Amino acid sequence: MSVWEIKLPQGITEITQEYVRGNMPAGTTEVVIPEGAKSIRLMAFHGCVDLQSVVISESVKSIDFHAFLGCTCLESVVIPQCIKSIGVGIFKGCTSLHSVEIPEGVE
């Protein structure tokens, strides 16, 4: 298992597709979204087929449309209580997904 603990440069608060593609090591199976990140943007992890689990910090407030589109090996995601909004289709094409914890009150 290869874990990628994202280390955002100072002043960066969004996890974008460009950031993921430019920084995520090949073969990463687990991603830890750090404190300080505020949002996971549109298609950020699109097509990350080796990704199996994601842990999202309490500082993240929104997850945009199709954030995990096509992550076919993704099995589990823990979404923290502080999430305010989740976009449509964030797990579209995640055919291995069997565990998602979504807190009450999320839009």
Side-chain angles (χ1 to χ4, degrees):
M1 180 178 274
S2 175
V3 178
W4 180 37
E5 292 192 33
I6 297 175
K7 299 198 183 334
L8 291 173
Q10 188 169 352
I12 303 296
T13 60
E14 299 179 335
I15 307 293
T16 64
Q17 185 178 41
E18 180 179 281
Y19 182 82
V20 170
R21 297 220 171 170
N23 293 282
M24 188 165 102
T28 297
T29 56
E30 180 179 347
V31 169
V32 178
I33 309 289
E35 285 297 321
K38 303 259 186 256
S39 64
I40 301 171
R41 301 297 297 182
L42 173 73
M43 298 176 69
F45 291 93
H46 173 240
C48 294
V49 296
D50 293 325
L51 190 59
Q52 295 174 9
S53 68
V54 178
V55 178
I56 301 170
S57 74
E58 292 288 331
S59 65
V60 174
K61 303 296 182 218
S62 66
I63 303 172
D64 286 354
F65 301 95
H66 302 301
F68 300 99
L69 177 68
C71 295
T72 55
C73 289
L74 187 62
E75 296 175 352
S76 66
V77 178
V78 176
I79 297 174
Q81 284 290 94
C82 60
I83 289 285
K84 301 291 183 215
S85 67
I86 295 176
V88 173
I90 65 168
F91 299 118
K92 185 175 184 179
C94 297
T95 55
S96 299
L97 191 62
H98 60 78
S99 173
V100 178
E101 296 178 30
I102 300 175
E104 286 187 40
V106 173
E107 294 179 18

